[in-house]
Amino acid sequence: MSADTFRSVEIERTSVGRYVVRNARGGSMSMGTGDDGDFTPVELLLAAIGGCTAVDVDLITSRRAEPGQFSVTVTGDKIRDETGGNRMRNLRVEFAVTFPAGADGDSAREALPRSLRQSHDRLCTVSRTVETGTPVEIVDTGSGAD
């Protein structure tokens, strides 16, 4: 993999069911099991799906006008499927975006449906990865005693 394509995060356990996630740029956030205010992995998946499309849509439409409102709600159902495994279904990303009156706002409103389609069809790495069902490899690289 080249430096242009490689992405990574590191996850470190801080206590039972609590973790800190770090990226290569120095950012960090807490993640947990849902027993407290920390995001769960499923919530982070929903945030990644919505956030990816939000960035795409924002970059395209805000060139035309600054939105008055820009909010995204991502929902889905966590189920146990017929094989007994957990997964999400009925994923839905809802945008509530408004722009000011006038020519610039009209231009942004006109670009909104197209930007949503572009994000879904080709720009958003996260939702496209989920929809294509990319395999995930789980590897143990250091089992054993300390």
Side-chain angles (χ1 to χ4, degrees):
M1 286 182 230
S2 75
D4 292 349
T5 63
F6 186 74
R7 304 291 188 272
S8 70
V9 296
E10 292 188 8
I11 302 168
E12 182 179 346
R13 179 183 182 269
T14 58
S15 64
V16 175
R18 301 210 55 214
Y19 312 88
V20 63
V21 182
R22 291 185 179 89
N23 65 28
R25 296 175 310 284
S28 66
M29 66 181 300
S30 297
M31 177 178 65
T33 60
D35 293 337
D36 57 18
D38 290 342
F39 284 93
T40 67
V42 171
E43 291 166 338
L44 291 173
L45 174 66
L46 296 175
I49 292 168
C52 185
T53 298
V55 167
D56 293 338
V57 170
D58 190 26
L59 291 175
I60 293 167
T61 59
S62 65
R63 287 184 207 145
R64 292 154 176 83
E66 183 66 21
Q69 175 191 5
F70 193 109
S71 62
V72 182
T73 302
V74 186
T75 59
D77 297 310
K78 182 178 175 188
I79 62 153
R80 185 169 300 264
D81 65 21
E82 59 282 348
T83 69
N86 296 330
R87 67 180 179 88
M88 295 295 292
R89 73 172 180 196
N90 301 323
L91 295 172
R92 180 180 171 98
V93 182
E94 299 175 358
F95 278 77
V97 183
T98 62
F99 297 99
D104 290 344
D106 292 344
S107 177
R109 273 186 292 284
E110 184 179 315
L112 181 61
R114 185 178 70 251
S115 67
L116 291 167
R117 280 191 313 277
Q118 286 176 320
S119 181
H120 178 267
D121 294 347
R122 65 181 184 85
L123 298 175
C124 178
T125 304
V126 178
S127 63
R128 287 183 46 76
T129 301
V130 169
E131 285 193 334
T132 61
T134 302
V136 176
E137 179 182 13
I138 308 291
V139 178
D140 179 354
T141 62
S143 293
D146 288 338

